[in-house]
Amino acid sequence: MCIVILFSGVIITMFYLPIQFGGYRLDLRLIPLLLLAVFRGWRITLPVLFVVSTWRYLMGGDGAVPGTIFGMILPTLFTLAYYKFKTKKSNVIEMVLIITVCWLISDFPILIIVPDGMRIFKDIFLLRYASFLGATFIYYSFILLECKREALKKQLTFLAMHDPLTKLLNRNEFIKVVEEKITESHLNHYIAMIDIDHFKKLNDNYGHIAGDTILIKVSSIFKKYESDHVIASRYGGEEFIIYLGINSPEQGVMIINKIQNEIRETSFKIDNDLSIPISVSIGLAKKEEGLLLKDLIKKADKNLYVAKEKGRDRLMM
């Protein structure tokens, strides 16, 4: 809603503050609509188009109807329709053609409505087209830079919060998120510590690339079960940690058993002709009254140690 109001306000302001050059009025109000159509699609563009078109029509004057239809509605709908069915990224030549078509649509009333329109069109052709094209690419360049900056910011934020290999939350972010979760008193809170059995031997026998492949595949299984109240993280090396905020103890054990069984039943392909079975040992701990998260993790880690001591490939609670 805010972006609709913002863009509508900018375009409406351009109605009252036209750029004058050499006695000619450089009408650039269509440019924000076109760029909005390119970068934001119909969900944002159509509401803005409705607001500014209505405003322009209500302003009245001889050019109200053609200015609204040809100056805003048709070029914007053309751009939306074009990008609706486009799958590949536009190149510069394609952008110039789109801008040219939109400019011709917007100037069409000069030819058919204005007296001596062809002469006027020829007189102002170069100036209007150059201003339209130039302003569009200036705006477009700034928007591209801003989009790249936002994309880089999101990427850096993601890398700061996630493990680069598995794309699960990293240890610090997991602790931060779960510290807030365990304050919800209406839920039962569990921590599961999970260790891939004999992972060092797998690395030694098949190489570290195979080891990374296994870590990624195991993580993808964890991700299937993630939700607002099931959060997985790579704790370190081949060790993972899962938080569960659930209604009943049975539900927690059931989820962890499902994860363990799926890992057990999955064939881990580490080469074109080689697949190996993987198992995990799991220590599960329930939060008791007054128990801090760090203590809950220690408790789960102790249960994991017991699971390993008892032969691995099992869940201990």
Side-chain angles (χ1 to χ4, degrees):
M1 186 62 182
C2 290
I3 194 169
V4 171
I5 295 172
L6 176 63
F7 270 89
S8 299
V10 168
I11 297 168
I12 289 170
T13 301
M14 294 175 77
F15 293 169
Y16 299 99
L17 298 173
I19 300 173
Q20 303 287 343
F21 183 80
Y24 294 112
R25 183 177 183 273
L26 305 182
D27 189 354
L28 305 178
R29 65 192 175 198
L30 177 59
I31 295 172
L33 279 170
L34 299 184
L35 294 176
L36 200 60
V38 171
F39 287 99
R40 291 288 186 171
W42 62 271
R43 290 183 184 274
I44 300 295
T45 306
L46 289 183
V48 173
L49 179 61
F50 174 78
V51 172
V52 298
S53 298
T54 303
W55 190 285
R56 174 64 189 94
Y57 179 75
L58 294 176
M59 286 173 65
D62 294 337
V65 174
T68 301
I69 296 174
F70 291 93
M72 289 183 289
I73 295 176
L74 291 181
T76 305
L77 293 180
F78 166 77
T79 306
L80 283 172
Y82 180 84
Y83 280 95
K84 172 71 174 176
F85 300 103
K86 182 171 177 57
T87 55
K88 294 182 180 179
K89 188 177 179 181
S90 296
N91 55 41
V92 175
I93 295 175
E94 197 172 17
M95 281 295 298
V96 170
L97 289 174
I98 293 168
I99 293 167
T100 302
V101 170
C102 291
W103 166 72
L104 288 172
I105 293 172
S106 68
D107 272 16
F108 187 67
I110 296 176
L111 298 173
I112 62 172
I113 297 175
V114 177
D116 201 15
M118 181 58 73
R119 183 190 62 78
I120 295 173
F121 181 80
K122 289 179 180 179
D123 288 344
I124 65 174
F125 161 77
L126 187 59
L127 178 62
R128 280 178 63 82
Y129 182 54
S131 65
F132 197 86
L133 197 63
T136 301
F137 273 99
I138 290 171
Y139 287 138
Y140 186 74
S141 299
F142 278 113
I143 291 172
L144 279 183
L145 286 173
E146 181 62 19
C147 288
K148 288 179 180 179
R149 189 189 70 82
E150 283 297 318
L152 180 60
K153 182 180 176 181
K154 287 180 181 179
Q155 184 180 7
L156 291 174
T157 301
F158 183 87
L159 290 174
M161 296 169 59
H162 294 80
D163 174 63
L165 178 65
T166 64
K167 305 301 185 289
L168 294 173
L169 286 180
N170 61 33
R171 183 171 176 171
N172 289 338
E173 191 63 24
F174 175 85
I175 297 295
K176 179 181 174 182
V177 171
V178 175
E179 285 281 12
E180 296 181 6
K181 293 286 185 183
I182 61 173
T183 61
E184 298 178 19
S185 58
H186 64 286
L187 294 174
N188 293 288
H189 305 283
Y190 288 83
I191 288 292
M193 296 295 294
I194 303 174
D195 189 83
I196 300 175
D197 294 332
H198 307 294
F199 187 75
K200 185 179 183 303
K201 188 182 292 185
L202 292 172
N203 263 339
D204 292 341
N205 291 341
Y206 303 108
H208 289 282
I209 293 177
D212 287 349
T213 301
I214 291 169
L215 291 172
I216 293 169
K217 183 66 176 177
V218 169
S219 299
S220 70
I221 294 173
F222 295 150
K223 289 174 186 176
K224 293 180 184 179
Y225 295 87
E226 281 195 309
S227 66
D228 286 343
H229 296 291
V230 179
I231 302 168
S233 168
R234 186 181 180 191
Y235 202 65
E238 72 275 20
E239 199 168 46
F240 298 87
I241 185 170
I242 295 179
Y243 159 79
L244 302 101
I246 49 182
N247 294 317
S248 66
E250 295 80 11
Q251 188 182 4
V253 174
M254 181 185 70
I255 292 172
I256 294 301
N257 275 328
K258 280 185 177 180
I259 291 173
Q260 188 172 40
N261 287 332
E262 184 168 346
I263 292 172
R264 191 183 288 134
E265 294 167 4
T266 298
S267 181
F268 288 81
K269 193 172 184 179
I270 60 173
D271 203 348
N272 291 333
D273 303 316
L274 180 62
S275 296
I276 59 174
I278 297 295
S279 64
V280 293
S281 301
I282 304 175
L284 186 64
K286 182 178 185 290
K287 184 181 183 300
E288 306 294 344
E289 187 69 30
L291 198 64
L292 299 176
L293 177 58
K294 64 178 182 179
D295 299 319
L296 183 59
I297 293 173
K298 286 180 182 178
K299 187 177 176 182
D301 204 34
K302 285 181 181 178
N303 290 338
L304 172 61
Y305 179 79
V306 174
K308 290 180 178 180
E309 286 292 302
K310 288 184 176 291
R312 303 177 189 271
D313 189 21
R314 66 191 65 223
L315 166 65
M316 295 301 299
M317 183 175 176

